[in-house]
């Protein structure tokens, strides 16, 4: 699991980003991002102007992605630029802090899109892509340790925002909107530690791979009951008796 505090050490800039990709080849067709300046405690103290580029793909977008994102072949013909140029523009957007910037997206599929785009573009700026991959955090990996649904599954970005009361910007599956909403989710979580505490307790109660006596003891603790070594011994004895009788 991600240790966000460790990743944020000495970081002054985070770039929250989102990528939209083709349905089958997973090439990038849009990159949206927003850079933020952090306080010494990792809180956002300044939002910068968002970044947006549409990117030409070698293969067709796919009807599912068209319906999901609203990005069409016609739109790309009119507005898209080469992948290599989009990456260079992205680096220029961040500026002098590029090498010390932490890159954050929601779900590591964005890295798969980056990798696929590199494989389809011989002129891809691999140094830029490598820097993003090296200084990267999957925020879904972080937040899903603490907050999951009743079946133990991670939530979508939209549903995490709803749960934490984050006012969403624009329509989902637009890369710029998703990047901004992710930044707002990050910011909101600093003020919702009690909610995080309560949701994490629910996650701990749902752990199914813990040995039965330990699970019973943990559940007692999470329900406010004091548990001592002798109580655990009794649970183990009862469990063994149950299995032998």
């Amino acid at each position: 699991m991600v240790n966000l505090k460790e990743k944020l050490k000495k970081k002054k800039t985070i770039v929250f980003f989102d990528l939209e990709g083709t349905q089958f080849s997973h090439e990038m067709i849009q990159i949206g991002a927003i850079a933020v300046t952090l306080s010494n405690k990792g809180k956002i103290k300044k939002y910068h102007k968002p970044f947006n580029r549409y990117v030409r793909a070698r293969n067709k977008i796919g009807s599912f992605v068209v319906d999901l994102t609203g990005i069409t072949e016609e739109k790309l013909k009119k507005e898209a630029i080469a992948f290599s140029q989009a990456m260079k523009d992205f680096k220029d957007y961040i500026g002098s802090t590029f090498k010390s910037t932490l890159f954050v997206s929601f779900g590591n599929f964005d890295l798969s899109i980056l990798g696929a785009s590199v494989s389809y573009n011989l002129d891809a700026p691999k140094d830029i892509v490598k820097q993003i991959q090296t200084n990267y955090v999957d925020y879904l990996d972080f937040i899903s340790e603490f907050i999951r649904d009743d079946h133990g599954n991670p939530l979508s970005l939209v549903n995490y925002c709803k749960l934490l009361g984050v006012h969403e910007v624009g329509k989902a599956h637009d890369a710029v909107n998703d990047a901004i909403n992710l930044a707002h989710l990050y910011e909101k979580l600093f003020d919702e530690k009690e909610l995080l505490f309560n949701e994490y307790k629910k996650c701990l109660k749902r752990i199914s791979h813990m040995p039965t006596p330990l699970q019973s003891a943990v559940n007692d603790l999470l329900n406010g009951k004091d548990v001592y070594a002798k109580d655990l011994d009794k649970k183990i004895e009862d469990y063994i008796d149950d299995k032998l009788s």
Side-chain angles (χ1 to χ4, degrees), residues 92-186:
D92 290 342
Y93 164 72
I94 299 166
S96 61
T97 63
F98 179 74
K99 287 189 175 181
S100 61
T101 290
L102 185 67
F103 298 90
V104 179
S105 76
F106 187 82
N108 60 16
F109 189 63
D110 295 287
L111 292 190
S112 298
I113 292 175
L114 271 177
S117 296
V118 168
S119 68
Y120 280 103
N121 292 273
L122 296 177
D123 62 342
K126 295 181 180 179
D127 56 328
I128 297 176
V129 173
K130 185 177 180 180
Q131 185 64 38
I132 296 169
Q133 294 168 331
T134 300
N135 263 357
Y136 172 78
V137 165
D138 174 5
Y139 200 71
L140 175 60
D141 189 26
F142 167 73
I143 196 172
S144 64
E145 180 181 1
F146 303 99
I147 305 176
R148 290 176 175 257
D149 67 17
D150 292 340
H151 303 288
N153 300 311
L155 307 182
S156 65
L157 176 58
V158 169
N159 285 331
Y160 275 120
C161 287
K162 286 180 179 177
L163 179 66
L164 275 86
V166 174
H167 176 69
E168 294 175 72
V169 173
K171 184 181 176 182
H173 303 297
D174 172 87
V176 178
N177 293 340
D178 286 352
I180 293 172
N181 287 330
L182 179 56
H184 290 169
L185 178 64
Y186 169 93

Side-chain angles (χ1 to χ4, degrees), residues 5-194:
K5 188 174 182 179
E6 185 67 28
K7 289 284 188 178
L8 287 171
K9 276 186 178 178
K10 299 181 180 179
K11 297 296 182 186
K12 298 297 183 185
T13 304
I14 292 180
V15 171
F16 296 94
F17 74 99
D18 181 69
L19 308 178
E20 301 298 338
T22 58
Q23 186 171 341
F24 300 109
S25 62
H26 305 309
E27 298 169 74
M28 186 191 301
I29 56 174
Q30 186 189 15
I31 174 171
I34 186 163
V36 302
T37 302
L38 301 178
S39 70
N40 291 333
K41 294 185 178 181
K43 289 189 175 184
I44 296 174
K45 66 178 184 180
K46 181 181 179 182
Y47 283 86
H48 298 270
K49 185 179 178 181
F51 173 86
N52 182 40
R53 294 290 186 277
Y54 292 101
V55 184
R56 287 197 295 269
R58 306 285 179 177
N59 296 280
K60 296 294 183 182
I61 297 173
S63 59
F64 176 80
V65 171
V66 171
D67 292 341
L68 190 69
T69 65
I71 301 172
T72 62
E73 299 288 352
E74 290 73 20
K75 186 176 185 66
L76 292 189
K77 285 178 183 177
K78 292 178 181 179
E79 302 182 39
I81 59 177
F83 173 72
S84 58
Q85 187 60 55
M87 288 293 94
K88 290 172 185 175
D89 289 353
F90 187 46
K91 181 181 179 182
D92 290 342
Y93 164 72
I94 299 166
S96 61
T97 63
F98 179 74
K99 287 189 175 181
S100 61
T101 290
L102 185 67
F103 298 90
V104 179
S105 76
F106 187 82
N108 60 16
F109 189 63
D110 295 287
L111 292 190
S112 298
I113 292 175
L114 271 177
S117 296
V118 168
S119 68
Y120 280 103
N121 292 273
L122 296 177
D123 62 342
K126 295 181 180 179
D127 56 328
I128 297 176
V129 173
K130 185 177 180 180
Q131 185 64 38
I132 296 169
Q133 294 168 331
T134 300
N135 263 357
Y136 172 78
V137 165
D138 174 5
Y139 200 71
L140 175 60
D141 189 26
F142 167 73
I143 196 172
S144 64
E145 180 181 1
F146 303 99
I147 305 176
R148 290 176 175 257
D149 67 17
D150 292 340
H151 303 288
N153 300 311
L155 307 182
S156 65
L157 176 58
V158 169
N159 285 331
Y160 275 120
C161 287
K162 286 180 179 177
L163 179 66
L164 275 86
V166 174
H167 176 69
E168 294 175 72
V169 173
K171 184 181 176 182
H173 303 297
D174 172 87
V176 178
N177 293 340
D178 286 352
I180 293 172
N181 287 330
L182 179 56
H184 290 169
L185 178 64
Y186 169 93
E187 183 177 32
K188 185 73 171 180
L189 205 60
F190 277 91
D191 301 322
E192 294 291 346
K193 289 188 178 179
E194 183 177 354

